[in-house]
Structures are given as C-alpha cells and as structure tokens.
Amino acid sequence: TSLGSKAAMRQLEGELSQRIKEARQRLIGLIAHIEASVDFPEYDVEEITGGMAVEEIDSVMDMLERALKGFERGRVIREGLTAAIVGRPNVGKSSLLNRMAGKNRAIVTDIPGTTRDVIDEYVNVNGVAVRLLDTAGIRDTYDLVEKIGVEKTIEEIEKADLVIMVIDTWEGLLNEDREIIRQLEGKKAVYVLNKIDISQEERVSAIERELKGKYTIRASMKEDIGIEELEKAIWELFLKGEVDADSEFLVTNIRHKVLIEKALESLQESKKSFEMGMPIDCMVIDIRGAAESLGQITGESVSEDVINEIFSRFCLGK
C-alpha cells in the first residue's frame, strides 16, 4: 500500500538508524562523563551525580518506549493484518467478503454450509493491507467436510489479528451466536449486525444491549450499509488514526524491537543500582549494555566510541 511504501522509504533513508544513533550517542556521552569523572579526578571534569545520570537515562528510555509503542502500528503497515470473518452459517459472511473486495470472490447461496473452506482476499483499508478470511459457518454438523471447515475456522480465530463476527439480526441472537461470542473473549473483535433492512428496530436494539461494551456496527450487505463504518473500525482498532508515515518513527522489524527491549531492561537495571545506593561507576555496566544493544541495530561498537567521546569532550592530558 502507499502507506507501507512511505514507511519503507523512510527506513531506506536511514530514519531508524538516525533515531537509534541519537539515543545511543546520549548513552555514550553519559558513560564517558561518568568514566572521566571517576578515572581522571585530578582533571577539571564536571562532577556528575547518580541523580543526574538517572535523569538522562529516563530521557533516553522515554525515546525508546515511544518507538516501541509504534511497533504494532509499524508491523501492521509493513505486513498488513489478518481479519477472520466468522459467524453461524448463512448470516452474510461471504456477502461481506464480496462487498469489501468489490467482486464476487465467495459463493453466496441461501443454503447453510455453502462455505466449507477458508477463502482469503486482500483489500486496502485506508492504506493498510487487510487479508480477509471468509470462514465456514460455526455450527454442530455431521457432514465430515463441513466439520473440517468448522475446525479450520476455529484455528483461524486463534491466529487472526482481528475477528469480524457477523450476526443475523432478523433471526436474533441464538445460543450458537452466544457460544461464538464467548470464544472471542480477549480477542480484538467487531460485531457486524447484518440484515437491518429486514429486521425490526426492537430486535436490533435488543442485540446491541446484549453486546453492550463491544464494538458493534449496523449493516446490510444487500443494501450496502455499514461497509465504510467497518473499514473505519478496522483502522481505529489497530492504528487509532495516529499513524503518519511521513512524520512518525515506526519500528517495523521484530529484531529491532527485541534489541530496544533489551536496552530498556539494561537501563532499568542501571536505575536499580542507583536506588540501591551503589556507586555511580556501577551504573555504567548496565548503561554500556544498553548502548551495545542499540549498537547491534546501527552496527557500532561501544568501547572505541566511549574513548573518543572522553577525549573530545574533556580536556585531559595524554
């Protein structure tokens, strides 16, 4: 998508490297200041206290934590997300897939159990690639092929980033619906209340009351109602309207995420050393570990950089 292309171009231009280098350089400066004040007391080096070091550590941690907060959004922009369409048979799942895809990708009939295998289709939702999965209707069945389809549906629910449950408002909420809703506890889910064009307002309102607190959308696949609202819901649930690939620093790589998390853990340990009353030079061990983790992203080593920083910042004899 265009949004994914913009984010990729910013990384090719070195956006990730620049931001990580900035955080790492601040840690290198902190290490150099501490080591210079401890190792060269005879020179006029400005004293640094543990409290001053913690202030700088907190500032760097804030930078890194902001980067991690954008990881999920960055992953979605880079890889797209998977949305499984689920529900009882014949509630409008395949019709929803066809509406969002803009073509008749899935067979639609009035016969329950028409969809027996998972059908997928990629769509562009506000610049994000979404892989829609039309799944077999969940119900108890003696048909072996349909039963396998139901088992596949349950597997897809577990793997999906988002679940879109379609409910037939004309029939109302049945026990089969309630069982599916129970299975979706803890998942990001949107509940599409389909067939409002033929349903009574009382019945639709009753379903909304029972689903109070959940993300519900009134819809009619026949009248093309609710599709725009559903696309907006997908965007809000994952990106919350905050992503701007032109201005935001996005971490999209799982390796980078892990290394940033390691750096944060090291900095947290350094702060613990200060809280335990340990000497300031003991804090350097973990600060150095954080800088090394960030250096694995940028391809830089710590030792030489610290020495260079000491002699460039402080007037020390040779």
Side-chain angles (χ1 to χ4, degrees):
T1 65
S2 59
L3 196 59
S5 297
K6 287 179 182 178
M9 280 302 298
R10 288 181 69 81
Q11 290 214 353
L12 284 173
E13 291 166 357
E15 178 72 11
L16 172 66
S17 178
Q18 290 170 18
R19 296 298 184 92
I20 294 299
K21 278 183 176 180
E22 182 184 346
R24 182 180 174 278
Q25 189 56 43
R26 290 177 64 175
L27 295 180
I28 294 294
L30 182 58
I31 295 168
H33 196 164
I34 294 172
E35 292 195 349
S37 63
V38 171
D39 295 341
F40 303 97
E42 66 275 20
Y43 292 96
D44 188 21
V45 176
E46 182 186 354
E47 184 182 1
I48 181 170
T49 64
M52 293 165 63
V54 167
E55 282 184 19
E56 183 68 355
I57 288 170
D58 282 338
S59 180
V60 173
M61 288 181 71
D62 184 59
M63 289 175 63
L64 298 178
E65 284 166 353
R66 285 204 309 270
L68 283 185
K69 283 179 182 176
F71 173 75
E72 179 64 15
R73 300 194 298 274
R75 182 192 70 79
V76 168
I77 286 176
R78 181 185 179 200
E79 302 174 6
L81 60 89
T82 300
I85 304 172
V86 304
R88 289 188 291 108
N90 216 33
V91 293
K93 299 185 299 298
S94 297
S95 296
L96 175 58
L97 175 74
N98 290 340
R99 284 291 186 185
M100 293 190 72
K103 57 186 176 183
N104 291 328
R105 179 68 175 81
I107 297 172
V108 177
T109 74
D110 292 330
I111 304 170
T114 300
T115 302
R116 297 186 170 211
D117 202 355
V118 176
I119 299 170
D120 67 340
E121 181 69 29
Y122 277 93
V123 298
N124 186 326
V125 177
N126 295 324
V128 176
V130 179
R131 178 175 173 243
L132 288 175
L133 304 178
D134 180 23
T135 63
I138 299 175
R139 67 169 178 175
D140 291 327
T141 178
Y142 294 103
D143 185 300
L144 180 59
V145 177
E146 189 180 353
K147 193 171 185 178
I148 294 172
V150 172
E151 290 171 356
K152 278 191 172 185
T153 297
I154 294 170
E155 289 175 12
E156 294 297 344
I157 289 174
E158 291 300 315
K159 294 187 290 184
D161 298 303
L162 171 71
V163 179
I164 302 170
M165 181 179 176
V166 182
I167 296 171
D168 185 336
T169 58
W170 186 75
E171 290 189 340
L173 272 181
L174 305 184
N175 288 333
E176 289 172 316
D177 293 306
R178 294 185 178 91
E179 176 58 25
I180 298 169
I181 293 167
R182 188 190 63 77
Q183 291 180 32
L184 298 186
E185 287 299 326
K187 294 286 295 183
K188 281 188 177 179
V190 178
Y191 298 83
V192 176
L193 311 185
N194 191 27
K195 304 184 183 180
I196 61 168
D197 55 306
I198 59 173
S199 302
Q200 294 180 345
E201 172 62 29
E202 292 179 4
R203 187 164 290 182
V204 178
S205 297
I207 295 172
E208 288 176 329
R209 284 194 297 273
E210 191 164 340
L211 294 175
K212 187 177 180 181
K214 302 186 186 300
Y215 206 132
T216 60
I217 294 171
R218 294 189 176 203
S220 167
M221 297 304 107
K222 185 177 179 181
E223 301 294 330
D224 201 17
I225 298 170
I227 301 300
E228 288 185 11
E229 288 83 353
L230 177 57
E231 291 180 347
K232 181 182 177 184
I234 293 171
W235 174 263
E236 288 180 347
L237 278 169
F238 280 89
L239 305 175
K240 299 176 184 177
E242 298 169 1
V243 170
D244 180 354
D246 286 327
S247 63
E248 188 165 349
F249 168 42
L250 296 175
V251 175
T252 61
N253 185 299
I254 185 65
R255 174 177 169 271
H256 297 158
K257 175 178 180 283
V258 170
L259 288 169
I260 292 171
E261 286 175 338
K262 284 181 66 176
L264 283 167
E265 288 172 9
S266 296
L267 293 176
Q268 192 62 51
E269 288 301 315
S270 182
K271 288 177 63 177
K272 284 181 182 177
S273 297
F274 170 72
E275 291 165 2
M276 292 168 63
M278 299 177 71
I280 191 170
D281 51 324
C282 292
M283 297 174 66
V284 170
I285 298 170
D286 291 308
I287 299 172
R288 186 181 290 269
E292 286 173 350
S293 293
L294 298 181
Q296 289 183 50
I297 298 175
T298 60
E300 297 167 297
S301 62
V302 173
S303 298
E304 188 175 335
D305 288 345
V306 171
I307 294 171
N308 291 337
E309 184 73 12
I310 289 174
F311 284 100
S312 67
R313 284 182 58 186
F314 307 106
C315 185
L316 303 177
K318 295 186 178 180

